[in-house]
Amino acid sequence: MPRLFVPPLLRPFCEGEEEVVVDGSTVLEAVQSLNAQYPGTLERLCPDGKLRPGIAVTVDQNVAPRGLAQKVSPESEIHFLPAIGGG
């Protein structure tokens, strides 16, 4: 089952957990699984059904170009990071 690493600002809503084992075959399904365990986390990460602006998601150490639709495997690691911009 995929492991979802909880962003620091979301940890108070997840009883301080840094990582949670979740179900799902996409990032969205993994976040929905997290929300089933810790209600309210889905709305904090994905208001209006989209990844919150300023947050990037990585799957297995690669930026997920498909965002919430990105496929994950049972061995995947999912991280949410502040998006980095620059010029």
PDB file of all heavy atoms in Angstrom, residues 2-7 10 18-22 27 30-31 34 45 76-80:
ATOM      1  N   PRO A   2       0.525   2.265  -0.765  1.00  0.00           N
ATOM      2  CA  PRO A   2       1.352   3.474  -0.834  1.00  0.00           C
ATOM      3  C   PRO A   2       1.512   4.136   0.536  1.00  0.00           C
ATOM      4  O   PRO A   2       0.641   4.023   1.404  1.00  0.00           O
ATOM      5  CB  PRO A   2       0.570   4.390  -1.779  1.00  0.00           C
ATOM      6  CG  PRO A   2      -0.378   3.518  -2.507  1.00  0.00           C
ATOM      7  CD  PRO A   2      -0.661   2.364  -1.607  1.00  0.00           C
ATOM      8  N   ARG A   3       2.638   4.832   0.685  1.00  0.00           N
ATOM      9  CA  ARG A   3       2.879   5.626   1.891  1.00  0.00           C
ATOM     10  C   ARG A   3       2.776   7.093   1.515  1.00  0.00           C
ATOM     11  O   ARG A   3       3.429   7.546   0.582  1.00  0.00           O
ATOM     12  CB  ARG A   3       4.260   5.337   2.476  1.00  0.00           C
ATOM     13  CG  ARG A   3       4.350   3.952   3.075  1.00  0.00           C
ATOM     14  CD  ARG A   3       5.648   3.722   3.798  1.00  0.00           C
ATOM     15  NE  ARG A   3       6.783   3.948   2.905  1.00  0.00           N
ATOM     16  CZ  ARG A   3       7.992   4.328   3.309  1.00  0.00           C
ATOM     17  NH1 ARG A   3       8.238   4.538   4.578  1.00  0.00           N
ATOM     18  NH2 ARG A   3       8.950   4.495   2.447  1.00  0.00           N
ATOM     19  N   LEU A   4       1.959   7.820   2.240  1.00  0.00           N
ATOM     20  CA  LEU A   4       1.772   9.241   2.010  1.00  0.00           C
ATOM     21  C   LEU A   4       2.460   9.979   3.154  1.00  0.00           C
ATOM     22  O   LEU A   4       2.158   9.737   4.320  1.00  0.00           O
ATOM     23  CB  LEU A   4       0.275   9.567   1.961  1.00  0.00           C
ATOM     24  CG  LEU A   4      -0.097  10.979   1.536  1.00  0.00           C
ATOM     25  CD1 LEU A   4      -1.444  10.963   0.817  1.00  0.00           C
ATOM     26  CD2 LEU A   4      -0.145  11.923   2.705  1.00  0.00           C
ATOM     27  N   PHE A   5       3.405  10.829   2.804  1.00  0.00           N
ATOM     28  CA  PHE A   5       4.127  11.616   3.797  1.00  0.00           C
ATOM     29  C   PHE A   5       3.341  12.896   4.041  1.00  0.00           C
ATOM     30  O   PHE A   5       3.080  13.654   3.114  1.00  0.00           O
ATOM     31  CB  PHE A   5       5.557  11.890   3.322  1.00  0.00           C
ATOM     32  CG  PHE A   5       6.400  10.646   3.378  1.00  0.00           C
ATOM     33  CD1 PHE A   5       6.314   9.689   2.381  1.00  0.00           C
ATOM     34  CD2 PHE A   5       7.241  10.419   4.454  1.00  0.00           C
ATOM     35  CE1 PHE A   5       7.058   8.523   2.445  1.00  0.00           C
ATOM     36  CE2 PHE A   5       7.992   9.259   4.526  1.00  0.00           C
ATOM     37  CZ  PHE A   5       7.898   8.309   3.523  1.00  0.00           C
ATOM     38  N   VAL A   6       2.948  13.101   5.275  1.00  0.00           N
ATOM     39  CA  VAL A   6       2.064  14.194   5.649  1.00  0.00           C
ATOM     40  C   VAL A   6       2.861  15.497   5.740  1.00  0.00           C
ATOM     41  O   VAL A   6       3.855  15.561   6.469  1.00  0.00           O
ATOM     42  CB  VAL A   6       1.370  13.897   6.994  1.00  0.00           C
ATOM     43  CG1 VAL A   6       0.437  15.022   7.393  1.00  0.00           C
ATOM     44  CG2 VAL A   6       0.620  12.567   6.920  1.00  0.00           C
ATOM     45  N   PRO A   7       2.441  16.550   5.014  1.00  0.00           N
ATOM     46  CA  PRO A   7       3.131  17.844   5.107  1.00  0.00           C
ATOM     47  C   PRO A   7       3.077  18.368   6.549  1.00  0.00           C
ATOM     48  O   PRO A   7       2.087  18.152   7.262  1.00  0.00           O
ATOM     49  CB  PRO A   7       2.332  18.756   4.175  1.00  0.00           C
ATOM     50  CG  PRO A   7       1.532  17.860   3.307  1.00  0.00           C
ATOM     51  CD  PRO A   7       1.304  16.597   4.089  1.00  0.00           C
ATOM     52  N   LEU A  10      -0.055  19.946   7.953  1.00  0.00           N
ATOM     53  CA  LEU A  10      -1.231  19.084   8.020  1.00  0.00           C
ATOM     54  C   LEU A  10      -1.136  18.087   9.179  1.00  0.00           C
ATOM     55  O   LEU A  10      -2.135  17.485   9.567  1.00  0.00           O
ATOM     56  CB  LEU A  10      -1.378  18.338   6.691  1.00  0.00           C
ATOM     57  CG  LEU A  10      -2.721  17.751   6.329  1.00  0.00           C
ATOM     58  CD1 LEU A  10      -3.803  18.817   6.357  1.00  0.00           C
ATOM     59  CD2 LEU A  10      -2.659  17.095   4.973  1.00  0.00           C
ATOM     60  N   GLU A  18       3.702  11.554  10.662  1.00  0.00           N
ATOM     61  CA  GLU A  18       4.542  12.059   9.578  1.00  0.00           C
ATOM     62  C   GLU A  18       4.306  11.305   8.284  1.00  0.00           C
ATOM     63  O   GLU A  18       4.532  11.837   7.205  1.00  0.00           O
ATOM     64  CB  GLU A  18       6.016  11.972   9.974  1.00  0.00           C
ATOM     65  CG  GLU A  18       6.362  12.908  11.116  1.00  0.00           C
ATOM     66  CD  GLU A  18       7.834  12.896  11.466  1.00  0.00           C
ATOM     67  OE1 GLU A  18       8.654  12.385  10.664  1.00  0.00           O
ATOM     68  OE2 GLU A  18       8.167  13.391  12.551  1.00  0.00           O
ATOM     69  N   GLU A  19       3.893  10.051   8.394  1.00  0.00           N
ATOM     70  CA  GLU A  19       3.549   9.284   7.208  1.00  0.00           C
ATOM     71  C   GLU A  19       2.404   8.343   7.556  1.00  0.00           C
ATOM     72  O   GLU A  19       2.259   7.912   8.698  1.00  0.00           O
ATOM     73  CB  GLU A  19       4.735   8.514   6.649  1.00  0.00           C
ATOM     74  CG  GLU A  19       5.247   7.389   7.504  1.00  0.00           C
ATOM     75  CD  GLU A  19       6.427   6.685   6.891  1.00  0.00           C
ATOM     76  OE1 GLU A  19       7.535   7.233   6.938  1.00  0.00           O
ATOM     77  OE2 GLU A  19       6.236   5.571   6.370  1.00  0.00           O
ATOM     78  N   VAL A  20       1.583   8.061   6.533  1.00  0.00           N
ATOM     79  CA  VAL A  20       0.397   7.233   6.719  1.00  0.00           C
ATOM     80  C   VAL A  20       0.317   6.255   5.556  1.00  0.00           C
ATOM     81  O   VAL A  20       0.524   6.644   4.397  1.00  0.00           O
ATOM     82  CB  VAL A  20      -0.883   8.110   6.763  1.00  0.00           C
ATOM     83  CG1 VAL A  20      -2.121   7.255   6.912  1.00  0.00           C
ATOM     84  CG2 VAL A  20      -0.805   9.133   7.887  1.00  0.00           C
ATOM     85  N   VAL A  21       0.036   5.009   5.841  1.00  0.00           N
ATOM     86  CA  VAL A  21      -0.201   4.019   4.796  1.00  0.00           C
ATOM     87  C   VAL A  21      -1.632   4.208   4.316  1.00  0.00           C
ATOM     88  O   VAL A  21      -2.565   4.289   5.124  1.00  0.00           O
ATOM     89  CB  VAL A  21       0.029   2.589   5.340  1.00  0.00           C
ATOM     90  CG1 VAL A  21      -0.349   1.555   4.297  1.00  0.00           C
ATOM     91  CG2 VAL A  21       1.484   2.422   5.769  1.00  0.00           C
ATOM     92  N   VAL A  22      -1.789   4.313   2.994  1.00  0.00           N
ATOM     93  CA  VAL A  22      -3.092   4.610   2.408  1.00  0.00           C
ATOM     94  C   VAL A  22      -3.430   3.614   1.308  1.00  0.00           C
ATOM     95  O   VAL A  22      -2.558   2.899   0.816  1.00  0.00           O
ATOM     96  CB  VAL A  22      -3.123   6.056   1.834  1.00  0.00           C
ATOM     97  CG1 VAL A  22      -3.022   7.086   2.936  1.00  0.00           C
ATOM     98  CG2 VAL A  22      -2.019   6.270   0.801  1.00  0.00           C
ATOM     99  N   VAL A  27      -2.953   9.438  -6.931  1.00  0.00           N
ATOM    100  CA  VAL A  27      -2.719  10.375  -5.827  1.00  0.00           C
ATOM    101  C   VAL A  27      -4.048  10.783  -5.203  1.00  0.00           C
ATOM    102  O   VAL A  27      -4.186  10.819  -3.972  1.00  0.00           O
ATOM    103  CB  VAL A  27      -1.912  11.604  -6.304  1.00  0.00           C
ATOM    104  CG1 VAL A  27      -1.848  12.664  -5.209  1.00  0.00           C
ATOM    105  CG2 VAL A  27      -0.513  11.197  -6.743  1.00  0.00           C
ATOM    106  N   ALA A  30      -5.342   8.157  -2.950  1.00  0.00           N
ATOM    107  CA  ALA A  30      -4.524   8.110  -1.737  1.00  0.00           C
ATOM    108  C   ALA A  30      -4.938   9.220  -0.772  1.00  0.00           C
ATOM    109  O   ALA A  30      -5.053   8.992   0.437  1.00  0.00           O
ATOM    110  CB  ALA A  30      -3.045   8.228  -2.097  1.00  0.00           C
ATOM    111  N   VAL A  31      -5.192  10.412  -1.297  1.00  0.00           N
ATOM    112  CA  VAL A  31      -5.631  11.524  -0.450  1.00  0.00           C
ATOM    113  C   VAL A  31      -7.027  11.238   0.105  1.00  0.00           C
ATOM    114  O   VAL A  31      -7.315  11.538   1.269  1.00  0.00           O
ATOM    115  CB  VAL A  31      -5.585  12.858  -1.223  1.00  0.00           C
ATOM    116  CG1 VAL A  31      -6.196  13.984  -0.398  1.00  0.00           C
ATOM    117  CG2 VAL A  31      -4.158  13.209  -1.599  1.00  0.00           C
ATOM    118  N   LEU A  34      -6.508   8.982   2.957  1.00  0.00           N
ATOM    119  CA  LEU A  34      -6.028   9.762   4.104  1.00  0.00           C
ATOM    120  C   LEU A  34      -7.209  10.468   4.773  1.00  0.00           C
ATOM    121  O   LEU A  34      -7.325  10.477   6.003  1.00  0.00           O
ATOM    122  CB  LEU A  34      -4.986  10.785   3.651  1.00  0.00           C
ATOM    123  CG  LEU A  34      -4.446  11.713   4.738  1.00  0.00           C
ATOM    124  CD1 LEU A  34      -3.573  10.942   5.719  1.00  0.00           C
ATOM    125  CD2 LEU A  34      -3.664  12.863   4.111  1.00  0.00           C
ATOM    126  N   LEU A  45      -5.892  19.835   1.508  1.00  0.00           N
ATOM    127  CA  LEU A  45      -4.938  19.612   0.420  1.00  0.00           C
ATOM    128  C   LEU A  45      -5.534  19.935  -0.947  1.00  0.00           C
ATOM    129  O   LEU A  45      -4.824  20.384  -1.834  1.00  0.00           O
ATOM    130  CB  LEU A  45      -4.467  18.150   0.404  1.00  0.00           C
ATOM    131  CG  LEU A  45      -3.321  17.773   1.305  1.00  0.00           C
ATOM    132  CD1 LEU A  45      -3.080  16.260   1.259  1.00  0.00           C
ATOM    133  CD2 LEU A  45      -2.056  18.512   0.919  1.00  0.00           C
ATOM    134  N   SER A  76       4.630   2.823  -3.693  1.00  0.00           N
ATOM    135  CA  SER A  76       4.924   4.243  -3.914  1.00  0.00           C
ATOM    136  C   SER A  76       5.031   5.036  -2.621  1.00  0.00           C
ATOM    137  O   SER A  76       4.410   4.711  -1.611  1.00  0.00           O
ATOM    138  CB  SER A  76       3.847   4.883  -4.791  1.00  0.00           C
ATOM    139  OG  SER A  76       3.974   4.483  -6.124  1.00  0.00           O
ATOM    140  N   GLU A  77       5.830   6.112  -2.716  1.00  0.00           N
ATOM    141  CA  GLU A  77       5.917   7.134  -1.684  1.00  0.00           C
ATOM    142  C   GLU A  77       5.381   8.418  -2.286  1.00  0.00           C
ATOM    143  O   GLU A  77       5.819   8.841  -3.361  1.00  0.00           O
ATOM    144  CB  GLU A  77       7.359   7.339  -1.230  1.00  0.00           C
ATOM    145  CG  GLU A  77       7.929   6.171  -0.468  1.00  0.00           C
ATOM    146  CD  GLU A  77       9.312   6.451   0.075  1.00  0.00           C
ATOM    147  OE1 GLU A  77       9.837   7.582  -0.095  1.00  0.00           O
ATOM    148  OE2 GLU A  77       9.881   5.548   0.694  1.00  0.00           O
ATOM    149  N   ILE A  78       4.451   9.050  -1.577  1.00  0.00           N
ATOM    150  CA  ILE A  78       3.810  10.285  -2.059  1.00  0.00           C
ATOM    151  C   ILE A  78       4.194  11.411  -1.099  1.00  0.00           C
ATOM    152  O   ILE A  78       4.019  11.284   0.115  1.00  0.00           O
ATOM    153  CB  ILE A  78       2.279  10.118  -2.095  1.00  0.00           C
ATOM    154  CG1 ILE A  78       1.898   8.929  -2.970  1.00  0.00           C
ATOM    155  CG2 ILE A  78       1.622  11.412  -2.568  1.00  0.00           C
ATOM    156  CD1 ILE A  78       0.461   8.460  -2.788  1.00  0.00           C
ATOM    157  N   HIS A  79       4.734  12.491  -1.681  1.00  0.00           N
ATOM    158  CA  HIS A  79       5.124  13.660  -0.884  1.00  0.00           C
ATOM    159  C   HIS A  79       4.436  14.892  -1.455  1.00  0.00           C
ATOM    160  O   HIS A  79       4.290  15.026  -2.672  1.00  0.00           O
ATOM    161  CB  HIS A  79       6.646  13.888  -0.959  1.00  0.00           C
ATOM    162  CG  HIS A  79       7.456  12.840  -0.288  1.00  0.00           C
ATOM    163  ND1 HIS A  79       7.945  12.978   0.967  1.00  0.00           N
ATOM    164  CD2 HIS A  79       7.863  11.621  -0.724  1.00  0.00           C
ATOM    165  CE1 HIS A  79       8.647  11.893   1.301  1.00  0.00           C
ATOM    166  NE2 HIS A  79       8.586  11.055   0.285  1.00  0.00           N
ATOM    167  N   PHE A  80       4.049  15.809  -0.581  1.00  0.00           N
ATOM    168  CA  PHE A  80       3.517  17.109  -0.978  1.00  0.00           C
ATOM    169  C   PHE A  80       4.532  18.142  -0.548  1.00  0.00           C
ATOM    170  O   PHE A  80       4.958  18.180   0.610  1.00  0.00           O
ATOM    171  CB  PHE A  80       2.159  17.366  -0.321  1.00  0.00           C
ATOM    172  CG  PHE A  80       1.111  16.431  -0.822  1.00  0.00           C
ATOM    173  CD1 PHE A  80       0.851  15.228  -0.178  1.00  0.00           C
ATOM    174  CD2 PHE A  80       0.404  16.719  -1.974  1.00  0.00           C
ATOM    175  CE1 PHE A  80      -0.106  14.357  -0.652  1.00  0.00           C
ATOM    176  CE2 PHE A  80      -0.566  15.846  -2.457  1.00  0.00           C
ATOM    177  CZ  PHE A  80      -0.810  14.667  -1.795  1.00  0.00           C
TER     178      PHE A  80
END
